[in-house]
């Protein structure tokens, strides 16, 4: 009897693991399009010698073009990979008070903010992405809608005083900034000393080198199609920003980072005089 129960449990675990592997593999395959797009990207890079979509300072403008289709293109895959659960958990357990969300995009976190949050300011450099967020806000009750506001702004030049937010949030936004270290320092500047900086991000895997190699190989066309640099070293970026890391969990074979940080004097300095 005991052996049969163990076998059933083992089969469930194996099946779950198979689904997990398939979902992660399918997500990365989907997000890098097909062979034709790979060849097109290579040809464009060849024609523009020295050009790189990854380092292109205009790369983030891509979000203006894809705002209308962004949710429909990634929504199903995020649900299948459990990204929505990670968003919910990060905010439920750690967000409170007055919140600044950086790189808010289309407002994919709007429905996950707990009652412990009084106000949320959604910011992004793309007015088209924020337009989608405002549409989501219209579907909220009057009471819920009153908690949210949107602001188009530059993440490197926030027009806020020091230490004015209880929580600063960024989910899958560090990949879109040209200088993610400087952005984290700006987040730290506006976060209260006893507040938290919450991050849910793409990054290279430290445990599955083959997967990181895949991210590297497809970084140019992913940046071209999605405005995102998905193979950055998140550990190094957080360390250079001088943040105090309270918690780090990785998912999807080490490519999704769930990080809870706190600002430090070092991280909040040298951002604004």
């Amino acid at each position: 009897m005991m052996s049969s129960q163990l076998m059933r449990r083992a089969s469930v675990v194996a099946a779950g693991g198979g689904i997990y592997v398939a979902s992660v593999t399918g997500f990365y395959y989907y997000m890098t399009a097909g062979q034709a797009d790979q060849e097109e990207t290579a040809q464009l890079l060849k024609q523009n010698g020295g050009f790189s979509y990854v380092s292109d300072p205009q790369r983030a403008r891509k979000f203006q073009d894809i705002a209308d289709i962004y949710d429909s293109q990634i929504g199903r895959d995020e649900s299948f990979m459990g990204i929505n659960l990670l968003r919910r958990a990060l905010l439920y357990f750690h967000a409170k008070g007055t919140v600044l969300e950086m790189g808010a995009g289309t407002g994919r976190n709007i429905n996950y903010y707990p009652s412990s949050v009084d106000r949320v300011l959604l910011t992004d450099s793309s007015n088209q992405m924020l337009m989608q967020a405002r549409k989501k806000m219209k579907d909220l009750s009057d009471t819920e809608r009153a908690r949210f506001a949107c602001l188009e702004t530059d993440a490197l030049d926030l027009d806020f005083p020091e230490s004015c937010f209880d929580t600063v949030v960024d989910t899958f936004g560090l990949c879109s900034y040209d200088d993610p270290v400087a952005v984290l320092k700006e987040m730290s500047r506006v976060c209260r000393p006893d507040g938290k900086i919450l991050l849910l991000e793409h990054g290279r895997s430290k445990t599955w080198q083959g997967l990181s190699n895949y991210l590297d190989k497809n970084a140019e066309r992913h940046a071209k199609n999605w405005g995102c640099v998905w193979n950055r070293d998140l550990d190094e970026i957080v360390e250079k920003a001088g943040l105090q890391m309270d918690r780090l969990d990785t998912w999807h074979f080490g490519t999704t980072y769930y990080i809870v940080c706190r600002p430090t004097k070092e991280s909040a300095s040298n951002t604004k005089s």
Side-chain angles (χ1 to χ4, degrees):
M1 175 67 73
M2 181 63 69
S3 61
S4 62
Q5 289 178 344
L6 290 175
M7 287 296 293
R8 283 198 296 270
R9 290 178 182 177
S11 65
V12 170
V13 171
I19 292 173
Y20 182 75
V21 171
S23 65
V24 174
T25 303
F27 172 78
Y28 284 117
Y29 179 80
Y30 171 77
M31 294 298 283
T32 50
Q35 183 65 29
D37 184 62
Q38 185 177 31
E39 294 174 355
E40 176 188 343
T41 302
Q43 186 64 29
L44 289 171
L45 292 172
K46 184 177 180 180
Q47 291 173 357
N48 299 275
F51 175 80
S52 169
Y53 290 104
V54 168
S55 59
D56 180 11
Q58 306 302 320
R59 171 175 42 78
R61 291 188 177 182
K62 183 65 179 181
F63 293 104
Q64 292 287 89
D65 301 328
I66 64 176
D68 288 343
I69 64 169
Y70 188 82
D71 285 330
S72 62
Q73 291 293 303
I74 72 170
R76 181 180 60 182
D77 297 276
E78 279 205 354
S79 296
F80 197 50
M81 294 176 68
I83 296 294
N84 293 338
L85 296 177
L86 294 177
R87 290 179 186 270
R88 184 185 296 275
L90 184 67
L91 299 177
Y92 179 83
F93 290 112
H94 301 287
K96 67 175 183 178
T98 302
V99 176
L100 171 67
E101 183 174 336
M102 306 276 285
T106 63
R108 296 187 64 80
N109 292 325
I110 284 178
N111 292 323
Y112 303 137
Y113 279 100
S115 58
S116 56
V117 168
D118 303 319
R119 292 278 292 168
V120 182
L121 179 59
L122 306 173
T123 65
D124 201 282
S125 62
S126 169
N127 65 329
Q128 293 299 311
M129 295 288 275
L130 286 178
M131 187 180 298
Q132 301 302 314
R134 289 188 175 97
K135 290 180 181 178
K136 290 186 175 75
M137 289 164 57
K138 290 181 180 179
D139 293 332
L140 301 174
S141 67
D142 291 343
T143 302
E144 279 293 296
R145 193 184 312 120
R147 291 200 300 164
F148 294 92
C150 293
L151 177 67
E152 181 183 350
T153 188
D154 182 354
L156 282 173
D157 188 24
L158 299 174
D159 190 20
F160 304 119
E162 295 181 5
S163 306
C164 61
F165 292 97
D166 299 297
T167 312
V168 182
V169 175
D170 186 288
T171 59
F172 303 108
L174 289 183
C175 59
S176 66
Y177 305 129
D178 290 328
D179 190 344
V181 173
V183 171
L184 284 178
K185 289 192 173 188
E186 185 70 339
M187 292 182 194
S188 185
R189 183 185 69 82
V190 300
C191 185
R192 293 195 172 102
D194 60 346
K196 292 183 179 181
I197 298 173
L198 310 180
L199 307 172
L200 185 62
E201 308 289 348
H202 300 300
R204 62 188 308 102
S205 175
K206 301 299 180 61
T207 53
W208 294 76
Q209 186 57 46
L211 187 50
S212 287
N213 292 342
Y214 180 84
L215 298 181
D216 293 340
K217 178 181 178 181
N218 292 279
E220 287 290 345
R221 62 170 168 160
H222 188 70
K224 174 176 71 75
N225 293 330
W226 295 95
C228 161
V229 183
W230 65 356
N231 62 335
R232 286 174 167 166
D233 188 325
L234 265 295
D235 295 285
E236 181 180 51
I237 288 172
V238 173
E239 181 180 358
K240 285 183 176 180
L243 299 177
Q244 175 186 320
M245 191 183 297
D246 288 350
R247 177 169 182 170
L248 167 63
D249 296 313
T250 59
W251 299 80
H252 310 120
F253 304 106
T255 61
T256 300
Y257 286 66
Y258 178 112
I259 306 175
V260 179
C261 298
R262 294 186 185 274
T264 64
K265 291 182 178 180
E266 176 189 355
S267 64
S269 65
N270 300 320
T271 54
K272 279 183 180 285
S273 57

